[in-house]
Structure formats: structure tokens, C-alpha cells
Amino acid sequence: MTQPIQPTQPTQPTQPTQPSRPERGAPLPELKGYVHVYSGKVRELYAPIDSSTGQASKDALLLVATDRISAYDHILGSEIPDKGKVLTQLSLWWFDQLVDIIPNQVISADAPEVPEAVAGRAVLVRRLEMVPVECIGRAYLTGSGLTEYGQSSSVCGVQLPAGLQDGSLLPSPIFTPTTKAPIGRHDEPMTYAEVEAKVGAPLAASLRDLTIAILLRGNEIAAGRGILLADTKVEFGLDAARPDAQGNPTIVLADEVLTPDSSRFWPAASWQPGRAQDSFDKQFVRDWLTSPASGWDRSSGEPPPALPGEIIEATRSKYIEAFESLTGRTFA
Ligand code: Q0Z
């Protein structure tokens, strides 16, 4: 799962300082009316320039998905054509599938708000006060959850039955929040009590219940398409400008949702607990990088080599297949 950056503080005006430039991939587009504020691993953040003040807006952000791809904790030197568009369109589709569960951040995904240079892969969103917890829901056990389980037979303080294996279906879905680590560092598991201490008991309960509801809805929809949703990371923001009936800020679904970068999708047909599952989207990349053909040693700390054209093309097809199977729509 892609770990996002520390969010910029929404209460302070964004400083248009020199953001860290991605050292790999296509150059950053200059977008008229926007200032670039942050480079994530595979995405870019811009702020609209307020026409009355000439300053970065405090009310909105432009989230731009690039074609960059990560594997084994590296950003690869090769891009996957259309990955940014596929993931953006998938995220938008999921926001719609979830709107009876939670409102979302989207203002516009179309012209004129979204500049032509990033058409299809950018969304103008409400700038929210981001909740400082990575909300992870797990339906199946793998990855860091499996590692923690091996050490303690629990994940983030949730006790699990003995005998679970890599890929096992959990008895019921679990909420396994993590801290938001600074970029380049790994997020740390939090217990539910730590989430309560950080955000208060009422918001903690809402984050947990919303995360599980999103995971369950995601699995209901994916199941009908032969796909399992093992786990997902969601981010929430608070919209103080939209108080609820009790006067609390509205909890809003932020960032990206249920994309292959924030979630693990597995082909249901080859699911088999007891071994690492095939990745829906990145399996060709992983297989090639760890094969003798790549000449790359995963443990060397060296950046991985550029991908062969056929691996790029096969991976592009997998992203499009994921979009088309999940949504039942044709990728334009
Ligand atoms: C998201 C990220 C990146 C894309 C901050 N609605 C929001 N309000 C305030 N902050 C955010 C959002 Cl989505 C926010 N991120 C992660 C980083 C490109 C998204 F470089 N950071």
C-alpha cells in the first residue's frame, strides 16, 4: 500500500516553497492557476491560487495521480501508461458506490477545474483537516498484519485465533490503524486505545465503523466480479464548514479510495491460504524484478532497473482489467 505524505496543515496557508522533486518519472506539469505543494511517491498535490488574494487557497486541493509505480518499497524508473487515469477513475467510481455510507471530498473531476494537462488523472477536492490516523481495514490476513500476528497472535491489539496463515480469511474484518509516519518511514501500528487517546472516543468509533463498512461494501461489490479485497487503507478528513446535527464537523472520505495502490485486490480464482497471493495488478512486475532476467538484488538497496516493454504493457492491461471488472465499465 502506498504510504502518503504527512498532510499539509489545512489551517495554515500553504507555503509555495520548493517541494521535493521526484527524481524518477515524467517532469511535473506547470498548471495555470495552481501552485505545486507536494510530491508524494506516486502522486502530486497542487493548490488552486485564489484569484482575490493571489495566494494558495485554503479551501481546495488538486490531487494528481501520476503513472509512477512502486514495488518492493522503490519507485520504479519506468512508468505505467494510463495508471494515473485508471486509478483516479476507479477512486471516483468508488466514491459514488460509498456515498450512502459517507460523503466525500470531491468538488470536480472535470474541466474547467481540472486542467487539460492532467485531464482524467486529477480531482479538485475540498481541503479538509486530515485525521492523523491511517485507517486500515483487513478482511484477510497478510503483509504487516501477518507479521504482527506471527509475533503476538494479535494485530493492533486485536486478538486472533491460532492457526491463521498468509491469506487466511479473518473470522470478521478488523480495524488495524497505524500512525502516519513521515515520508520514507514506515507507519507504526496503533492500538484502538491509542486512536481514542489521539482523536477522542467518539471520532475513534466512527473511524473504525466507517473503515469496516467501506471494506465490507468493497468486498460485496468485488465478490460479484471474482475479486477479493484483502485489505484497504482509507483516510478521513473533517469539514468544519459542514457541522452535523450535533454541531460536530462532518467526517468526509478523503484521498484515494479502494485503488490497487491503497488496497490489496486478489483474483478469487487463485486464492489459496498458506502462500503469498498473486497481486491483481503488480504480479508481472514482482515476478520480473525477482527473476534472474532483471539482474536486480532486492536486498542490495540499489534502485531496481527499468522494466521491459512487455512487462509495462502487461501491467497496464492489469490495471485496466481491474477497473473494468470492478466497475463493469469500459476504460476510455
Ligand atoms: C492528501 C496526498 C500527494 C495526493 C494531504 N482533501 C484533503 N484535504 C487535505 N489534505 C489532503 C486531502 Cl486529500 C491530503 N494527502 C496525500 C499526497 C498527492 C495526495 F502528494 N495529503
Side-chain angles (χ1 to χ4, degrees):
M1 288 186 282
T2 303
Q3 303 307 336
I5 58 155
Q6 287 288 64
T8 46
Q9 288 303 318
T11 46
Q12 281 147 287
T14 303
Q15 297 299 84
T17 49
Q18 285 306 74
S20 59
R21 281 298 338 281
E23 65 277 30
R24 318 195 79 163
L28 272 180
E30 285 220 29
L31 303 177
K32 206 178 266 319
Y34 288 90
V35 58
H36 180 253
V37 294
Y38 209 96
S39 285
K41 287 209 287 187
V42 301
R43 295 179 300 158
E44 304 291 342
L45 210 47
Y46 292 74
I49 297 167
D50 198 305
S51 53
S52 52
T53 64
Q55 299 294 301
S57 165
K58 301 196 303 298
D59 303 327
L61 288 170
L62 188 73
L63 305 186
V64 180
T66 71
D67 293 342
R68 299 197 290 269
I69 181 173
S70 69
Y72 299 121
D73 267 335
H74 294 270
I75 308 298
L76 305 188
S78 310
E79 301 200 331
I80 306 299
D82 292 327
K83 173 175 178 273
K85 283 187 184 171
V86 174
L87 267 62
T88 298
Q89 296 308 308
L90 183 58
S91 204
L92 287 166
W93 183 82
W94 280 117
F95 280 126
D96 278 349
Q97 307 304 304
L98 299 167
V99 27
D100 62 314
I101 298 175
I102 183 169
N104 63 64
Q105 64 184 353
V106 176
I107 298 172
S108 172
D110 300 307
E113 292 86 358
V114 170
E116 186 160 298
V118 292
R121 61 185 180 96
V123 186
L124 186 69
V125 302
R126 274 176 231 294
R127 190 167 179 162
L128 305 164
E129 184 190 332
M130 297 299 282
V131 175
V133 176
E134 304 275 359
C135 293
I136 297 167
R138 299 176 188 271
Y140 295 79
L141 188 63
T142 192
S144 63
L146 178 69
T147 305
E148 233 192 296
Y149 172 77
Q151 293 161 359
S152 65
S153 74
S154 66
V155 187
C156 298
V158 182
Q159 193 64 41
L160 294 174
L164 298 178
Q165 311 175 65
D166 194 349
S168 288
L169 176 66
L170 293 166
S172 56
I174 58 174
F175 178 56
T176 61
T178 66
T179 58
K180 287 191 192 188
I183 201 158
R185 301 209 29 102
H186 277 111
D187 296 353
E188 299 285 346
M190 293 173 88
T191 63
Y192 185 71
E194 287 169 337
V195 179
E196 287 185 319
K198 188 150 198 137
V199 304
L203 180 54
S206 295
L207 299 177
R208 179 197 57 202
D209 295 350
L210 287 165
T211 301
I212 299 301
I214 291 165
L215 177 68
L216 288 173
R217 176 68 58 82
N219 258 307
E220 275 166 28
I221 292 174
R225 277 86 200 234
I227 296 171
L228 306 177
L229 172 59
D231 52 38
T232 191
K233 186 205 71 189
V234 284
E235 293 209 44
F236 299 99
L238 303 177
D239 194 347
R242 257 162 107 182
D244 68 14
Q246 291 82 249
N248 299 306
T250 299
I251 305 172
V252 177
L253 187 55
D255 209 45
E256 63 180 333
V257 65
L258 294 168
T259 70
D261 281 0
S262 69
S263 315
R264 285 189 180 91
F265 292 100
W266 294 337
S270 58
W271 174 61
Q272 190 192 318
R275 59 156 175 86
Q277 307 305 301
D278 290 343
S279 157
F280 200 101
D281 50 310
K282 286 182 185 168
Q283 202 55 44
F284 293 117
V285 171
R286 292 189 184 153
D287 288 351
W288 184 79
L289 283 176
T290 54
S291 77
S294 77
W296 181 61
D297 174 7
R298 196 182 152 183
S299 63
S300 67
E302 294 288 309
L307 301 173
E310 61 269 25
I311 301 295
I312 293 175
E313 202 37 58
T315 303
R316 176 178 181 271
S317 297
K318 291 306 287 184
Y319 281 110
I320 293 172
E321 184 190 337
F323 172 88
E324 294 190 339
S325 350
L326 286 166
T327 67
R329 294 187 184 174
T330 303
F331 178 70

